[in-house]
């Protein structure tokens, strides 16, 4: 954690949780050689919903581990579940996001390719 992650209460600001979730997704997608803008066939993702459950505080200098613990995959959506642990293994956050398949060129909802869903499934298992 860096100073820009800390709020007036002396701990990690609440908005940082979604940034942590996004970064672990970006890393996952990069491992598949795709991105949130294009998962294949011109379809990316757009976030529809997010939930954050605070389980503890995180402070300046903490080393955090962000994990994707589950992904429910459908043709038009991906439901991610996350957990964030500090350097002592204490869970400080849980959360979820729902991402919808979205074609940025056409500006409309799309469908994930079977190739992308199968590759994602392989990496997660």
């Amino acid at each position: 954690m860096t100073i820009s992650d800390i709020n007036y209460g002396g701990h990690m600001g609440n908005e940082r949780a979604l940034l942590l979730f996004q970064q672990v997704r970006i890393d996952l997608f990069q491992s598949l050689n795709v991105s949130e803008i294009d998962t294949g066939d011109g379809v990316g993702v757009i976030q529809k919903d997010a939930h954050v459950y605070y389980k503890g505080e995180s402070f300046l200098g903490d080393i955090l581990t962000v994990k994707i613990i589950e992904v429910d995959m459908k043709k038009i959506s991906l439901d991610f579940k996350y957990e964030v642990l500090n350097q002592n293994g204490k869970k400080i956050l849980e959360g979820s996001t729902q991402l919808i398949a979205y074609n940025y060129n056409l500006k409309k909802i799309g469908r994930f390719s079977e190739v992308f869903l199968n590759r994602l499934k392989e990496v997660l298992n």
Side-chain angles (χ1 to χ4, degrees), residues 26-78:
I26 288 170
D27 294 346
L28 172 63
F29 283 25
Q30 283 180 342
S31 77
L32 298 170
N33 294 317
V34 299
S35 71
E36 290 192 330
I37 298 296
D38 189 357
T39 63
D41 299 331
V43 173
V45 297
I46 193 164
Q47 187 167 296
K48 179 182 178 196
D49 196 18
H51 297 274
V52 178
Y53 305 98
Y54 301 96
K55 301 295 184 178
E57 293 179 295
S58 184
F59 301 97
L60 184 62
D62 280 357
I63 299 169
L64 303 179
T65 301
V66 185
K67 297 179 181 180
I68 295 170
I69 57 172
E70 184 181 326
V71 181
D72 182 21
M73 293 178 262
K74 298 181 178 118
K75 295 227 181 249
I76 65 166
S77 67
L78 301 171

Side-chain angles (χ1 to χ4, degrees), residues 14 62 74 96 98 115:
N14 60 7
D62 280 357
K74 298 181 178 118
S96 63
Q98 183 179 51
V115 171

